[in-house]
């Protein structure tokens, strides 16, 4: 009888309350083999091939099956993945990767440098928008021998190593995909990777089951027997499933933020916000800079002074966030804390609005703006309601407009909005995840997550461009510090909070979150104390 | 004989035309919704560019003018091809085929249960109108009818799976052990208890109220008075004279309700993570997965037509006069 059954029996007999009894005795040392990890996945991923689809749930499951050359520590320094070592030439133009030699694909074929060359020159440039941009920077990608790959860049690119994180560069099997229609390849239904977990079954609408890869290249690993991803569409049901032990792990936004304070108190639940450092989601009020009065920086600054970020963090996001100060998250390299801080000060906001000539009308209102509420759960409606409340105090009327996911994506992508609140990932480096929001060349109509606010400043463009190709980290820091100071003064978008996603799991599982991509990593070290 | 065949043929043609009209209407309705599926698919990848969006549009024919898309769609429907899902990368017929049995199992069970228990409770209440049995049943029926489905579902989960730990909170069957035969049946049955109860509760309330009203009405009909005057026993009067007639409006209403029942399953399937058609619909709406949505609408329309035919048949069996009337 395991602890869960025991507690259930006790509960039925009325012996213990909902607190339960801590029966787990920690083993002194070492990983044990065995155990099944039940995880929630939502929404259901469309396919499990990371090269074909990069939606969040796809990457979480595919990260167990497919791997890339590098993994990343919490501080985002690279460590070996499929590449056991690597070096960069002094001019920053040549990167050489030495691959693990005993890796096999799940069908038994050996993994070689040809697979890496095929993935980075053929399939990913065709199917993966971010990888297409990254590897377009290469002059050549060649296999020096069966286990060595050489990337030659056209010009230096500071964050090049960051391009080898799993979700950015999943390595695909050349022998199964070369010369085929990648998107309709029959192996998409039965994914073959190099990872510690092999695809076993997918019951649509119910669950996805992965089993241990006994031929994994690290001896003895992985430790768990299988991983079951259960598809549970209702947020309240997901919270209950963690509570009654039907699932052992919830991640990302599985559980609504208002349920987190209750669930993390449960005696069998461990809670962490680590493992999202690579993504480091940053949330801002996106102003459409093309429309009055958002086109005036004093208006945007006034909004920054009118919102109490601490209140948002404490009361709306239940502590699962930190106030943001600028375009880069504190979890990102090159973050500079020495920028202008917009304190919560409605008087300053009113002064700025007065200065730009936005006087209150007969009804006491200075301006009226429409806020497109992001359709991602109840919390975002509460968030929007607070913004409406806060801005009304300085005379700005906010009209909330609710919309569904598809409508939101289309409207924002096509610049058909006044204010909204997206959150974007930083992908480990400003050149990958930050510059895209502010540089003029990325103002592209119809494309979501480009520079949709329409902000354009040649100085900012130059600074981001120079920082991306600089090799010396000190020089990059100087350039990024300057661009941060400049942007914070101009406030093209109103940075509010750095989001923390909660990962909650059954205490009997260990080493689930060991890297900067946390639950999206391959779980090859995870173990269960039975 | 010839007339019967002609009538059946005319009916079939009518049904075919109806389905075509429904398909066209669905198509236009779905495409009238704002929101571009290509932008949704590309946007949710966390990064997108023009090439990706153009690829997706071309791949699914979304770059064609609307009337071309509509003609293509109708031609496909006529040849029983429901198309291909953008998001799931599978034929729509396969997706629906996988999900339909789970939904039918859930809704048919709930429907029959609601009909049987609802009619029974309604009869009981009708026979004892005004007395305490009637009051208790009527109040309960009102309560269930007024309760939001998702709330009832969550409360049942909270009581029976979180607090008591007796029943599984969600899912279709236990994942892992490959059960067969009776074990599998029992396993699925255990998983069905909570969702079926939730779904049945609301409809049970409707049928109970309908049946009660119907019984009270029938009770005052002349043939019941006659039977009573002839000295027939109470049980015989109820079984032979009242039930058949009282059931007719309930059955007719149930036929109309069958379509709504599938709609109601969206909520129940979401709360209980039941891998059925209702959730497939919900996901398809959220993702603007047009082919899947259209496929489901079409299959539902056909089901509703089939259920109406069946209801016709059943009422004719219960009341042979209707059959003679044609």
């Amino acid at each position: 009888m395991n602890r869960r059954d025991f507690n259930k029996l006790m509960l039925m007999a009325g012996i213990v309350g909902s607190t339960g009894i801590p029966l787990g005795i920690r083993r002194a040392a070492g990983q044990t083999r065995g155990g099944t990890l039940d995880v929630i996945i939502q929404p259901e991923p469309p396919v499990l091939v990371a090269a074909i689809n990069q939606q969040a749930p796809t990457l979480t499951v595919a990260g167990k099956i497919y791997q890339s050359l590098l993994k990343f520590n919490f501080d985002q320094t690279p460590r070996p993945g499929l590449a056991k070592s690597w070096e960069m030439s002094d001019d920053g133009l040549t990167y050489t990767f030495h691959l693990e030699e005993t890796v096999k694909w799940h069908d038994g074929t050996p993994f070689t440098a040809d697979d890496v060359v095929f993935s980075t020159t053929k399939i990913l440039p065709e199917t993966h928008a971010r990888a297409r941009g990254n590897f377009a920077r290469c002059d050549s990608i060649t296999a020096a021998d069966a286990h060595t790959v050489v990337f030659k860049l056209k010009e230096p690119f500071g964050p090049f190593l960051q391009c080898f994180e799993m979700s950015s560069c999943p390595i695909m099997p050349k022998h199964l995909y070369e010369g085929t229609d990648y998107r309709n390849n029959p192996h998409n239904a039965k994914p073959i990777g190099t990872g510690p977990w092999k695809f076993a079954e997918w019951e649509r609408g119910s669950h996805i089951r992965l089993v241990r890869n006994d031929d994994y290249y690290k001896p003895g690993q992985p430790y768990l027997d299988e991983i079951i991803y259960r598809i549970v569409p209702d947020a309240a049901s997901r919270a209950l499933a963690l509570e009654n032990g039907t699932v052992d792990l919830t991640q990302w936004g599985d559980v609504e933020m208002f349920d987190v304070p209750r669930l993390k108190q449960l005696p069998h639940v461990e809670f962490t916000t680590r493992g999202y450092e690579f993504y480091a989601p940053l949330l801002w009020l996106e102003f459409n800079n093309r429309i009055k009065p958002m086109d005036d920086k004093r208006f945007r600054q006034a909004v920054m002074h009118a919102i109490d970020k601490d209140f948002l963090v404490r009361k709306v996001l239940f502590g699962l966030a930190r106030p943001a100060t600028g375009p880069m998250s504190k979890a990102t390299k090159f973050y500079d804390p020495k920028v202008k801080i917009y304190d919560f000060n409605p008087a300053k906001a009113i002064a700025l609005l007065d200065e730009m000539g936005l006087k209150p009308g007969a009804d006491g209102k200075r301006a009226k703006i429409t806020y497109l509420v992001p359709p991602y759960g109840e919390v975002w409606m509460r968030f929007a309601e607070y913004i409406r409340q806060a801005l009304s105090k300085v005379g700005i009327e906010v009209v909330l407009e609710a919309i569904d996911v598809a409508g939101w994506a289309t409207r924002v992508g096509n610049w058909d909005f006044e204010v909204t609140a997206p959150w974007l990932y930083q992908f480990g480096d400003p050149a990958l995840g930050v510059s895209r929001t502010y540089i003029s060349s990325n103002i592209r109509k119809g494309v979501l997550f480009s520079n949709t606010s329409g902000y354009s400043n040649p100085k900012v463009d130059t600074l981001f461009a120079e920082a991306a190709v600089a090799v010396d980290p000190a020089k990059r820091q100087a350039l990024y510090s300057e661009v941060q100071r400049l942007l914070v003064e101009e406030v093209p978008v109103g940075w509010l909070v750095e989001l923390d996603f909660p990962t909650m799991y059954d205490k009997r599982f260990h080493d689930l979150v060991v890297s900067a991509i946390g639950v999206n990593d391959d779980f090859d070290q995870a173990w269960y104390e039975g | 004989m010839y007339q019967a065949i002609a009538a059946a043929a005319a009916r079939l043609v009518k049904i075919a035309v109806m389905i075509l009209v429904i398909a066209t209407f669905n198509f236009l309705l779905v495409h009238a919704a704002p929101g571009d599926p290509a932008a949704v698919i590309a946007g949710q990848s966390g990064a997108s560019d023009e090439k990706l969006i153009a690829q997706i549009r071309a791949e699914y024919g979304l770059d064609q003018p609307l009337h071309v898309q509509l003609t293509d769609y109708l031609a496909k429907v006529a040849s029983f091809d429901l198309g291909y899902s953008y998001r799931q990368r599978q034929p729509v017929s396969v997706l629906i085929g996988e999900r339909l049995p789970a939904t039918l199992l859930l809704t048919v069970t709930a429907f029959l249960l609601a009909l049987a228990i609802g009619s029974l409770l309604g009869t009981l209440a009708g026979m004892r109108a005004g007395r305490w049995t009637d009051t208790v049943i009527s109040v309960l029926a009102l309560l269930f009818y007024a309760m939001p489905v998702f709330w009832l579902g969550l409360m049942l989960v909270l009581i029976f799976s979180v607090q008591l730990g007796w029943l599984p909170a969600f899912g279709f069957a236990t994942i892992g052990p490959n059960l067969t035969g009776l074990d599998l049946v029992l396993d699925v049955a255990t998983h069905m208890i909570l969702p079926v109860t939730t779904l049945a509760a609301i409809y049970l309330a409707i049928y109970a109220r309908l049946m009660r009203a119907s019984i009270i009405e029938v009770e005052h009909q002349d043939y019941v008075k006659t039977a009573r005057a002839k000295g027939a026993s109470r049980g015989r009067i109820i079984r032979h004279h009242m039930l058949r007639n009282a059931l007719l409006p309930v059955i007719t209403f149930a036929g109309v309700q069958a379509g709504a029942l599938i709609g109601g399953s969206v909520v129940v399937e979401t709360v209980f993570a039941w891998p059925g058609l209702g959730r497939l619909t919900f996901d398809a709406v959220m993702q603007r997965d047009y082919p899947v949505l259209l496929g489901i609408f079409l299959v539902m329309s056909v089901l509703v037509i089939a259920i109406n035919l069946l209801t016709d048949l059943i009422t004719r069996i219960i009341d042979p006069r209707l059959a003679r009337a044609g």
Side-chain angles (χ1 to χ4, degrees), chain A residues 293 299 350 353-354 357-369 388-399:
Chain A
F299 180 82
I350 288 171
L353 293 172
D354 281 340
L358 270 186
K359 300 279 187 227
D363 55 355
K365 287 167 190 155
R366 299 160 186 270
K368 183 171 156 183
I369 52 176
R388 178 176 63 187
Q389 188 73 17
L391 293 189
S392 78
K393 297 226 170 95
V394 298
I396 302 170
E397 185 187 0
V398 178
V399 179

Side-chain angles (χ1 to χ4, degrees), chain B residues 104-292:
Chain B
L104 288 180
L105 185 65
L106 183 71
T107 47
V108 170
T109 313
F111 176 70
L112 293 179
L113 207 69
L115 194 60
I117 300 180
S119 307
L120 193 75
L121 289 180
T123 310
L124 212 63
M127 296 306 298
R128 306 189 177 188
R131 277 185 273 172
W132 69 268
T133 335
D134 176 35
T135 315
V136 169
I137 291 173
S138 297
V139 166
L140 276 180
L142 191 69
L143 213 66
F144 277 123
Y145 185 62
M147 221 180 273
V149 187
F150 70 91
W151 188 81
L152 178 62
L154 282 175
M155 285 306 119
L156 289 177
V157 172
L158 210 55
I159 295 168
F160 292 100
S161 41
V162 177
Q163 290 301 323
L164 298 171
W166 290 348
L167 293 167
F170 53 72
F172 180 77
T174 308
I175 301 164
N178 283 313
L179 300 172
T180 48
L182 189 65
D183 288 338
L184 179 68
V185 173
L186 282 177
D187 185 47
V188 173
T190 324
H191 281 82
M192 278 173 67
I193 294 175
L194 293 183
V196 164
T197 309
T198 309
L199 192 57
I202 280 119
Y203 291 94
L204 183 150
I206 298 176
Y207 299 138
R209 290 178 65 81
L210 260 177
M211 193 68 183
R212 177 180 176 275
S214 195
I215 284 279
I216 290 173
E217 194 189 318
V218 170
E219 203 169 15
H220 299 293
Q221 299 289 329
D222 288 344
Y223 54 83
V224 176
K225 288 182 190 156
T226 312
R228 210 171 274 146
K230 284 198 304 190
S233 74
R234 192 173 161 77
R236 192 184 154 80
I237 292 175
I238 294 173
R239 280 195 308 276
H240 286 256
H241 300 280
M242 288 172 65
L243 270 186
R244 272 192 172 209
N245 293 296
L247 258 176
L248 277 177
V250 177
I251 297 284
T252 310
F253 188 73
V256 177
Q257 281 284 299
L261 199 66
I262 298 177
S265 73
V266 173
V267 177
V268 173
E269 286 180 7
T270 304
V271 171
F272 291 97
W274 191 262
L277 212 53
R279 263 180 58 211
L280 190 66
T281 317
F282 184 76
D283 290 344
V285 170
M286 291 325 252
Q287 302 298 332
R288 289 289 192 278
D289 202 340
Y290 293 164
V292 174

Side-chain angles (χ1 to χ4, degrees), chain A residues 377-448:
Chain A
E378 271 184 57
V379 166
W380 307 109
M381 186 47 97
R382 300 292 95 78
F383 195 93
E385 282 162 0
Y386 169 74
I387 303 287
R388 178 176 63 187
Q389 188 73 17
L391 293 189
S392 78
K393 297 226 170 95
V394 298
I396 302 170
E397 185 187 0
V398 178
V399 179
L400 301 185
E401 188 179 353
I403 194 166
D404 72 333
V405 176
W408 186 82
T410 312
R411 296 260 310 262
V412 176
N414 287 304
W415 312 340
D416 180 16
F417 70 99
E418 292 186 8
V419 172
T420 185
W423 61 95
L424 263 69
Y425 300 154
Q426 314 247 312
F427 295 116
D429 194 282
L432 299 173
V434 178
S435 60
R436 57 178 173 160
T437 308
Y438 311 101
I439 56 177
S440 314
S441 57
N442 206 27
I443 300 179
R444 296 183 294 170
K445 198 167 192 177
V447 183
L448 194 61

